[in-house]
């Protein structure tokens, strides 16, 4: 992680590097953007806005860098400055449309996109960036919707026709990306191939085609495309990033090479970082990679380091919160997520943020976590698993009835359940009855719910489940209320339990105690209901074999001295 700790020096140094080092051309700035060297590009573009004050295009690309860095307000300022210089600008209106989309202002987005295309003439670039704007992810969405993909495809296809003399490879690549977002691989491949036909040295086209092969789980072909890009430019960082992502996908699909591929992917990602000026934004992408790779220790270290710098992107605190929670560092998780949620603004908050915060709070013993878990569900009803977390918390706090009801909420809202969930709910109903507050009258309906739940477990399992059978025995015995007229309702369950336990190849101490308990119950039935002394002695003797300390066994042999020596 030494590389990560150079971020402050790297970013700060760039601020002071003069124009003598960076070529002051828009082409070089655009090349830096393409290589995801955003800090370098931003420095170039800021200089260009000073040395070329009448160029509205410089302000657009500066604004676009801000969009890539997740600074929408700064982007909007840059685009408006470009419009002030040239009211007929097309690109800056496309940029304002992108900002409006990120602000979830659909009317504003449409209005600005329309103005951009009206001003475009035969220039394909406004069409390109309107298409890119439609493909931007707007939280909480993490995929491109069909409607936005269709809008992007429509404008990009039109862009291909506005000037037939121009073959815009970048536009073709973006069109391919739009098709990929909807899993239309044939259309995507055609556009990537067309882009390479228009510009055989297109780095983005080679890498995009590699990503397409990755999605088809064709690891070799994907790697070949990344190699092709690096043969053109060995310092093209995005090729290493996508190669790292390919290794991660392969690791998740082929367990036998998982460790090797994750390690290789980490090295490729570090190479990517070294080639992208170690900017905060490139490291945030590395944070995404570490999160998906499940390396929460490295992620927490990275996020904690990045959070030390004054100009850190707020998303650092989300990563810090998520990773600290996974590492059970609950105080750090709670602190980071509270900072993120309070400062990020409502439009950027995801249901998962409240979900992870709630889990961390419960992990730290703070019941405020339940409210945050419920808030996560309110924001996203697909997250019904929150009710499992609530149920577990309730049971840990001995809130048995609340826990059982939380399980029911989970079943009703998720429309799924495991047998273990059903068993735990049934046990919670049982405990709610048996551990009712002192002085209160337990609700017998809870026993009925518990018994039904235990019965369902065995039915769905397709065979008797010993623990469920044992609880059903307890419940049946509790329902045998008239001790002067014992019916022996639990007898068939205890007999079944004995059969299930003794069938095991080896018995644990718990098994032995359970067997003693079962035989002691049968002995009591033989003694008080059947009046069969021989069976009574036989059952108590079996109980004594398994657990001589069983209270009923000790009491029986204490009051029946003759039985002590009877064989």
């Amino acid at each position: 992680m030494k590389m990560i700790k150079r971020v402050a020096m790297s970013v700060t140094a760039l601020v002071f590097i003069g124009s003598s080092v960076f070529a002051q051309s828009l082409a070089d700035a655009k090349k830096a953007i393409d290589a995801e060297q955003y800090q370098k590009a931003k420095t170039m573009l800021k200089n260009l806005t000073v040395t070329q004050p009448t160029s509205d295009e410089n302000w657009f690309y500066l604004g676009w860098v801000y969009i890539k860095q997740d600074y929408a307000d700064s982007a909007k300022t840059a685009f408006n400055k470009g419009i002030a210089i040239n009211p007929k600008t097309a690109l800056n209106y496309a940029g304002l449309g992108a900002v409006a989309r990120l602000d979830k202002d659909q009317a504003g987005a449409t209005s600005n996109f329309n103005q951009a295309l009206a001003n475009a003439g035969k220039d394909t670039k406004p069409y390109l960036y309107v298409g890119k704007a439609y493909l931007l992810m707007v939280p909480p969405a993490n995929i491109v919707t069909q409607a936005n993909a269709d809008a992007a495809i429509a404008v990009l296809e039109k862009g291909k026709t506005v000037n037939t003399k121009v073959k815009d490879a970048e536009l073709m690549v973006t069109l391919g990306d739009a098709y990929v977002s909807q899993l239309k691989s044939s259309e995507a491949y055609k556009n990537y191939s067309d882009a390479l036909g228009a510009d055989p040295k297109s780095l983005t086209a080679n890498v995009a085609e590699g990503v397409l092969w990755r999605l088809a789980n064709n690891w070799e072909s994907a790697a070949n495309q990344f190699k092709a890009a690096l043969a053109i430019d060995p310092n093209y960082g995005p090729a290493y990033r996508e190669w790292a992502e390919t290794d991660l996908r392969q690791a998740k699909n082929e367990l036998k090479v998982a460790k090797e591929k994750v390690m290789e992917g980490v090295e490729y990602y570090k190479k990517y970082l070294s080639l992208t000026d170690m900017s905060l934004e490139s490291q945030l992408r590395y944070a995404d990679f570490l999160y998906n790779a499940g390396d929460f220790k490295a992620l927490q270290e990275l996020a904690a380091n990045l959070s030390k710098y004054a100009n850190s992107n707020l998303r650092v605190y989300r990563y810090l919160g998520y990773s600290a929670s996974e590492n059970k560092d609950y105080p750090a998780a709670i602190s980071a997520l509270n900072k993120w949620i309070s400062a990020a603004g409502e439009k950027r908050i995801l249901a998962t943020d409240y979900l992870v915060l709630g889990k961390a709070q419960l992990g730290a013993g703070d019941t405020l976590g339940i409210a945050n878990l419920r808030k996560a569900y309110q924001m996203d009803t697909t997250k019904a698993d929150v009710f499992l977390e609530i149920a577990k918390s309730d049971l840990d706090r001995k809130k048995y009835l609340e826990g059982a009801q939380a399980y029911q909420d989970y079943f009703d809202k998720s429309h799924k359940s495991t047998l273990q969930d059903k068993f735990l709910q049934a046990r919670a109903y049982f405990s709610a009855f048996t551990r009712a507050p002192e002085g209160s009258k337990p609700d017998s309906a809870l026993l009925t719910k518990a018994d039904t739940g235990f019965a369902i477990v065995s039915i769905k399992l397709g065979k008797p489940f010993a623990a469920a059978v044992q609880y059903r025995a307890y419940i049946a015995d509790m329902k045998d209320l008239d001790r002067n007229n014992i019916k022996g309702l639990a007898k068939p369950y205890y007999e079944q339990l004995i059969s299930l336990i003794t069938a095991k190849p080896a018995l644990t101490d718990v098994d032995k105690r359970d067997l003693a308990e079962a035989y002691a119950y049968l002995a009591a039935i033989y003694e008080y209901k059947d009046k069969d002394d021989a069976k009574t002695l036989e059952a108590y003797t079996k109980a004594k074999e398994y657990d001589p300390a069983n209270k009923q066994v000790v009491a029986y042999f204490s009051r029946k001295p003759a039985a002590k020596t009877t064989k």
Side-chain angles (χ1 to χ4, degrees):
M1 301 301 289
K2 291 181 180 178
M3 182 193 308
I4 304 306
K5 295 178 180 178
R6 296 202 302 267
V7 64
M9 295 175 62
S10 301
V11 173
T12 304
L14 286 169
V15 174
F16 297 102
I17 292 176
S19 59
S20 61
V21 177
F22 290 143
Q24 294 300 294
S25 75
L26 182 57
D28 286 326
K30 289 165 69 175
K31 184 178 179 180
I33 294 173
D34 180 47
E36 298 178 14
Q37 296 171 337
Y38 298 127
Q39 202 65 33
K40 177 179 178 180
K42 188 160 61 177
T43 301
M44 285 179 163
L45 289 162
K46 284 183 176 180
N47 285 335
L48 286 170
T49 61
V50 174
T51 59
Q52 300 174 4
T54 61
S55 171
D56 60 292
E57 201 172 3
N58 293 332
W59 284 107
F60 167 74
Y61 284 102
L62 177 59
W64 196 256
V65 171
Y66 280 126
I67 281 182
K68 301 299 287 185
Q69 293 182 311
D70 200 22
Y71 297 122
D73 290 342
S74 297
K76 185 175 183 178
T77 299
F79 297 140
N80 278 323
K81 287 184 177 181
I83 292 171
I85 292 170
N86 177 16
K88 296 291 186 180
T89 181
L91 283 173
N92 283 291
Y93 278 109
L96 285 181
V99 172
R101 275 211 68 233
L102 294 173
D103 285 341
K104 300 180 182 178
D105 176 7
Q106 190 57 48
T110 301
S111 174
N112 282 296
F113 290 154
N114 288 342
Q115 187 64 57
L117 300 183
N119 294 350
K122 291 188 176 183
D123 185 2
T124 61
K125 292 304 178 188
Y127 290 88
L128 166 64
Y129 280 94
V130 170
K132 284 179 177 286
Y134 275 119
L135 297 178
L136 291 172
M137 302 290 186
V138 180
N142 57 7
I143 60 171
V144 178
T145 65
Q146 184 175 338
N148 287 322
D150 288 345
I153 290 168
V155 74
L156 292 165
E157 289 285 7
K158 187 174 181 180
K160 288 169 66 175
T161 66
V162 296
N163 189 344
T164 55
K165 294 181 180 179
V166 175
K167 301 294 183 183
D168 191 334
E170 189 178 5
L171 186 147
M172 296 173 192
V173 170
T174 305
L175 184 53
D177 293 343
Y179 281 118
V180 166
S181 74
Q182 303 305 299
L183 304 179
K184 295 181 178 180
S185 55
S186 297
E187 294 89 337
Y189 184 76
K190 180 183 183 303
N191 278 282
Y192 294 150
S193 296
D194 288 347
L196 287 170
D199 180 6
K201 292 189 176 182
S202 171
L203 297 167
T204 55
N206 273 296
V207 170
E209 200 166 290
V211 171
L212 191 60
W213 285 120
R214 175 175 79 216
L215 295 176
N217 292 346
N218 188 329
W219 322 120
E220 183 178 358
S221 294
N224 286 339
Q225 289 303 132
F226 304 139
K227 290 176 184 176
L230 293 170
I232 298 168
D233 182 356
N235 295 319
Y236 188 61
Y240 284 106
R241 186 196 68 240
E242 296 299 349
W243 205 340
E245 297 288 356
T246 300
D247 279 340
L248 179 57
R249 184 179 174 99
Q250 185 176 0
K252 290 182 176 180
N253 279 271
E254 298 180 3
L255 295 180
K256 63 181 180 180
V257 297
K259 185 177 180 180
E260 171 193 342
K261 287 298 174 181
V262 168
M263 291 175 63
E264 182 180 88
V266 168
E267 292 306 311
Y268 283 144
Y269 225 108
K270 288 180 179 178
K271 181 70 173 176
Y272 159 73
L273 285 175
S274 72
L275 295 171
T276 53
D277 71 20
M278 292 296 293
S279 68
L280 177 62
E281 286 66 39
S282 62
Q283 292 190 72
L284 287 175
R285 295 199 71 155
Y286 182 44
D288 280 329
F289 178 83
L290 291 174
Y291 181 82
N292 290 326
D295 191 346
F296 299 110
K297 182 179 179 181
L299 178 58
Q300 185 174 355
E301 182 181 345
L302 169 63
N305 186 63
L306 293 178
S307 69
K308 296 175 184 177
Y309 303 105
N311 295 324
S312 286
N313 187 306
L314 275 172
R315 279 194 296 137
V316 165
Y317 294 99
R318 173 185 276 162
Y319 291 117
L320 181 56
Y322 284 22
S323 56
S325 181
E326 291 286 346
N327 294 328
K328 302 189 185 311
D329 185 357
Y330 299 125
I334 294 167
S335 175
L337 286 169
N338 277 331
K339 183 174 181 64
W340 161 252
I341 289 171
S342 64
E346 184 179 346
K347 293 180 181 178
R348 300 175 70 191
I349 303 302
L350 304 177
T352 308
D353 298 332
Y354 285 106
L355 173 63
V356 178
L357 175 60
K359 286 183 177 180
Q361 288 171 322
L362 291 180
D366 185 350
T367 56
L368 285 175
I370 292 177
N372 281 316
L373 290 177
R374 291 188 182 278
K375 189 163 187 175
Y377 177 76
Q378 290 168 3
M379 291 178 68
D380 181 357
T381 56
T382 67
K383 299 194 180 301
D385 286 2
V386 301
F387 293 102
L388 282 182
E389 298 296 331
I390 293 171
K392 292 173 185 175
S393 173
D394 286 334
L395 297 187
D396 286 344
R397 293 180 296 114
K398 296 181 171 38
K399 300 287 186 180
Y400 300 111
L401 182 56
E402 291 90 335
Q405 290 171 339
Y407 273 115
Q408 194 59 48
D409 284 338
Y410 169 67
F411 302 152
D412 293 341
K413 297 178 190 300
S414 71
H415 306 293
K416 61 183 181 181
S417 64
T418 66
L419 291 180
Q420 182 182 29
D421 295 332
K422 285 289 188 182
F423 177 83
L424 291 174
Q425 184 197 37
R427 193 171 68 180
Y429 279 128
F430 178 82
S431 297
F433 179 87
T434 58
R435 303 186 187 188
E438 189 175 349
S440 65
K441 183 179 180 181
D443 184 357
S444 60
L446 296 175
L447 281 184
T448 301
K449 289 182 177 181
D451 190 52
T452 300
F454 291 129
I456 287 173
V457 169
S458 290
I459 291 170
K460 290 195 172 184
L461 192 62
K463 59 182 180 180
F465 179 52
V469 170
Q470 186 173 36
Y471 275 107
R472 295 198 76 189
Y474 295 158
I475 293 168
D477 190 32
M478 290 177 185
K479 290 181 177 180
D480 213 350
L481 299 177
D482 186 355
R483 292 307 180 188
N484 295 317
N485 184 25
I486 296 174
K487 298 177 181 178
L489 298 178
K491 184 172 181 286
Y493 295 114
Y494 276 119
E495 289 173 337
Q496 188 176 43
L497 182 64
I498 290 170
S499 176
L500 290 170
I501 295 177
T502 54
K504 292 183 177 182
L507 300 181
T508 66
D509 289 341
V510 172
D511 290 333
K512 292 175 182 178
R513 286 195 294 271
D514 289 343
L515 282 171
E517 180 183 272
Y519 277 114
Y521 173 85
L522 294 179
I525 295 300
Y526 296 143
E527 183 175 9
Y528 297 109
K529 180 179 181 295
D530 298 341
K531 312 297 184 183
D532 189 326
D533 291 340
K535 283 189 174 183
T536 300
L537 176 59
E538 181 182 3
Y540 271 125
T541 300
K542 292 291 290 185
K544 186 176 182 182
E545 288 177 15
Y546 289 114
D547 183 10
N550 179 281
K551 290 182 179 179
Q552 286 179 259
V553 168
V554 171
Y556 174 77
F557 285 105
S558 296
R559 60 188 167 79
K560 296 281 187 178
K564 294 180 183 180
T565 57
T566 302
K567 300 295 182 183

